[in-house]
Amino acid sequence: MENQEVCYRVSQHHDARCLALQMRDSELVNQNASPMKSHPNQDLIQLLSDGQTDLRMLALHQLCEGYADAPEIFEAVRSGWREWGVEQAFPEFPMLSYLPVPAHAVEDCCPLAAELVEGSALKSSESRCAGKLMEQVVTLPATDLQPHLELLDEVKAKSKIFFRVDLDGVRDRIACLSLSSAELQARFETAVRELADDASQSRPVHQALHALEALRRLYPESAPLAELISAGPQDDGQQALRFQLALQSLVQFEQPGVEHLLAPYLLDDREAVYSVVVEALVRCGTPETASVLVNQFDDAQLSNQKWIARGLQRIRESGLAGRISDLRGRVSDPSLWVMLLIAEVRQLEANSRQRIAGELSRLQSFSKTLIDSLTVFSRLHENTASDPQFEQALLGYLQRANQSLGEQLAAKKRKLQRTEKRSRDRSKQQVLTRHRQDVRYRKKS
């Protein structure tokens, strides 16, 4: 963790004790359970078995960006590997930063990863996918990994591609499970003091996060997240570190019920906090997440609004498309406007087609993310009642976007040619200058 400023103003105060009780009630007491997101995403999950490679990958990206946790996602990936092969099924799989691996699938993932690296080159698609798979496996809660530590050791020893699989960290997380609540809190505070002395250290960061994980899993009534967040950071020092660590813990493991507590920090003037707050809210993925992002949008600065818009692109909730459209009608920044259009398209609501068509008809600029989102949207609704207005607007936008892209590429080519010409001219001038200097030197000699 880099040493970043984390002091922020809190515009309102909350009753930390009441919130702690709410958090305790919503905490994962069952170690093998995982809270489902409010949106089932079955439509996107169906696309994971589509015969078109780019659609499968686009759907997987959208699901993973939103921290979708349906176990069918992992099953679809595994089935895709069997049907089309690792390289063709999901070509950008190694680029994912998140993949929902069900706890019960750890025993399946380990032999699968070992099989993929067997006889494969280190940089092959098979090895890279195996490495990414095991990276995601070890992000599961320590309670889920504890029975499989020996198996994880065996797999990691099979290839250098598993260098990011931090089994020492897993062991430390498992060791925390045997500590009492008081011992875990003491461990957290010790790590905070060490970071206050030297914030460049990584070891105390991990130790603090491991302690918070165990507290949240085993002693939710003692977990200090409510107090740490509601107190807010000071200008610097230990409270600032506690606050940042609490946010990081919420990004690692979602905790529905804290959305309203995070809301004020969306308006902060420091990207180091409001960007992480958006990430923690997206990780929650609840209806409250959507409400918090929408409700704070108008009061936020432009830079904050762009992060909020990105958060809205990554979550889905019934009725959210209309609320996003309302926000878009109140913004003047062109890039933010497009971001909010992407967010509405990604809600994948059929009744948005006419509204999206109207927006596309006046959009001139090229946006790959928008085109990718429209591709998924169109595929999912291709069997619904035909909408000529939407189809015409989409075709028109794609034609204009293609022309815009062509013009951009041509402009870049001309700029590159000018740059190369200036470079050649400078080289010629340098050679000529050296030649003249040599001639003058020889004449003097």
Side-chain angles (χ1 to χ4, degrees):
M1 177 183 294
E2 296 180 357
N3 184 14
Q4 298 175 322
E5 290 184 304
V6 290
C7 87
Y8 299 85
R9 296 185 300 274
V10 183
S11 61
Q12 62 189 72
H13 298 285
H14 302 274
D15 188 327
R17 180 168 299 177
C18 290
L19 181 63
L21 293 174
Q22 294 172 13
M23 293 170 68
R24 180 187 64 187
D25 292 338
S26 64
E27 182 59 45
L28 266 177
V29 177
N30 182 351
Q31 297 172 357
N32 295 318
S34 178
M36 297 294 290
K37 307 298 180 185
S38 60
H39 201 291
N41 285 315
Q42 290 305 315
D43 46 6
L44 282 173
I45 293 173
Q46 290 174 6
L47 284 185
L48 297 179
S49 58
D50 191 272
Q52 198 170 325
T53 302
D54 63 332
L55 273 169
R56 293 196 300 270
M57 197 66 244
L58 288 173
L60 185 59
H61 271 307
Q62 188 166 339
L63 287 163
C64 293
E65 286 178 5
Y67 291 108
D69 58 3
E72 294 89 347
I73 298 172
F74 170 74
E75 295 301 329
V77 169
R78 187 164 55 174
S79 297
W81 285 350
R82 286 195 295 261
E83 183 169 355
W84 295 290
V86 168
E87 188 170 5
Q88 292 300 318
F90 302 97
E92 297 175 7
F93 181 87
M95 298 169 60
L96 298 174
S97 58
Y98 166 83
L99 178 75
V101 177
H104 65 76
V106 175
E107 290 186 344
D108 297 328
C109 290
C110 289
L112 176 58
E115 179 183 344
L116 288 173
V117 299
E118 186 69 31
S120 299
L122 189 63
K123 295 184 179 180
S124 68
S125 297
E126 289 77 9
S127 290
R128 294 173 64 220
C129 286
K132 176 59 64 174
L133 178 61
M134 293 307 296
E135 284 178 42
Q136 296 305 303
V137 166
V138 296
T139 63
L140 285 168
T143 47
D144 295 326
L145 298 174
Q146 188 173 19
H148 309 292
L149 188 55
E150 183 176 347
L151 184 58
L152 293 171
D153 267 321
E154 292 176 3
V155 176
K156 179 165 184 176
K158 291 184 178 295
S159 174
K160 293 180 180 178
I161 198 66
F162 300 124
F163 68 99
R164 287 196 180 96
V165 179
D166 181 15
L167 291 189
D168 289 336
V170 172
R171 291 188 183 90
D172 189 55
R173 293 164 61 200
I174 291 173
C176 285
L177 300 177
S178 63
L179 301 179
S180 67
S181 173
E183 289 172 323
L184 289 170
Q185 293 190 58
R187 193 176 198 263
F188 175 78
E189 289 299 331
T190 298
V192 168
R193 287 193 295 271
E194 291 181 14
L195 284 171
D197 292 336
D198 182 2
S200 66
Q201 301 179 84
S202 60
R203 183 184 60 84
V205 172
H206 296 308
Q207 289 183 336
L209 292 174
H210 298 168
L212 283 178
E213 177 191 352
L215 279 168
R216 294 175 61 191
R217 289 274 155 184
L218 303 179
Y219 310 101
E221 71 284 353
S222 301
L225 291 185
E227 291 82 358
L228 294 178
I229 297 173
S230 61
Q234 304 299 320
D235 289 345
D236 51 27
Q238 295 185 17
Q239 175 56 27
L241 291 166
R242 293 188 189 97
F243 179 81
Q244 189 174 21
L245 289 164
L247 289 182
Q248 290 294 336
S249 183
L250 289 174
V251 171
Q252 288 183 326
F253 301 103
E254 67 265 33
Q255 187 156 319
V258 301
E259 297 89 343
H260 67 287
L261 184 63
L262 294 171
Y265 300 106
L266 289 172
L267 305 181
D268 203 273
D269 56 3
R270 306 181 197 210
E271 185 175 320
V273 164
Y274 61 73
S275 62
V276 183
V277 168
V278 169
E279 197 71 24
L281 287 167
V282 172
R283 187 69 196 251
C284 285
T286 61
E288 289 73 20
T289 291
S291 293
V292 164
L293 292 173
V294 170
N295 293 340
Q296 297 293 84
F297 184 87
D298 286 335
D299 293 331
Q301 298 296 317
L302 178 59
S303 56
N304 303 57
Q305 288 180 330
K306 289 184 176 181
W307 275 96
I308 293 173
R310 183 69 184 106
L312 290 169
Q313 291 176 4
R314 298 169 60 190
I315 61 174
R316 296 177 67 190
E317 185 57 46
S318 178
L320 183 56
R323 301 176 72 184
I324 293 173
S325 176
D326 291 340
L327 295 180
R328 193 170 61 252
R330 300 197 291 270
V331 303
S332 57
D333 182 81
S335 61
L336 178 59
W337 188 92
V338 173
M339 293 179 74
L340 289 170
L341 179 58
I342 293 168
E344 180 176 356
V345 172
R346 286 189 169 194
Q347 296 305 305
L348 304 175
E349 294 186 9
N351 58 10
S352 291
R353 283 190 295 183
Q354 288 189 348
R355 188 165 55 231
I356 293 171
E359 303 291 41
L360 289 177
S361 65
R362 62 193 184 96
L363 183 61
Q364 302 294 325
S365 60
F366 169 81
S367 168
K368 182 180 184 302
T369 305
L370 176 58
I371 291 175
D372 288 344
S373 303
L374 288 166
T375 300
V376 174
F377 184 99
S378 300
R379 183 53 175 267
L380 286 178
H381 298 299
E382 65 181 0
N383 294 325
T384 59
S386 177
D387 188 333
Q389 181 183 359
F390 174 78
E391 294 166 3
Q392 183 178 358
L394 175 59
L395 179 60
Y397 171 67
L398 292 176
Q399 291 172 341
R400 293 193 304 276
N402 185 57
Q403 180 180 355
S404 174
L405 179 60
E407 292 171 353
Q408 291 177 32
L409 292 175
K412 288 182 179 179
K413 183 178 180 179
R414 290 193 297 269
K415 182 178 179 180
L416 179 61
Q417 289 172 340
R418 289 195 298 268
T419 301
E420 291 176 343
K421 184 178 183 302
R422 286 195 294 268
S423 179
R424 290 194 300 269
D425 290 344
R426 282 195 299 269
S427 297
K428 290 178 182 178
Q429 186 61 42
Q430 289 171 355
V431 170
L432 182 59
T433 299
R434 285 196 298 270
H435 174 70
R436 289 171 176 170
Q437 290 173 343
D438 290 343
V439 170
R440 285 197 296 269
Y441 178 77
R442 286 194 296 271
K443 286 181 178 180
K444 289 180 180 180
S445 302

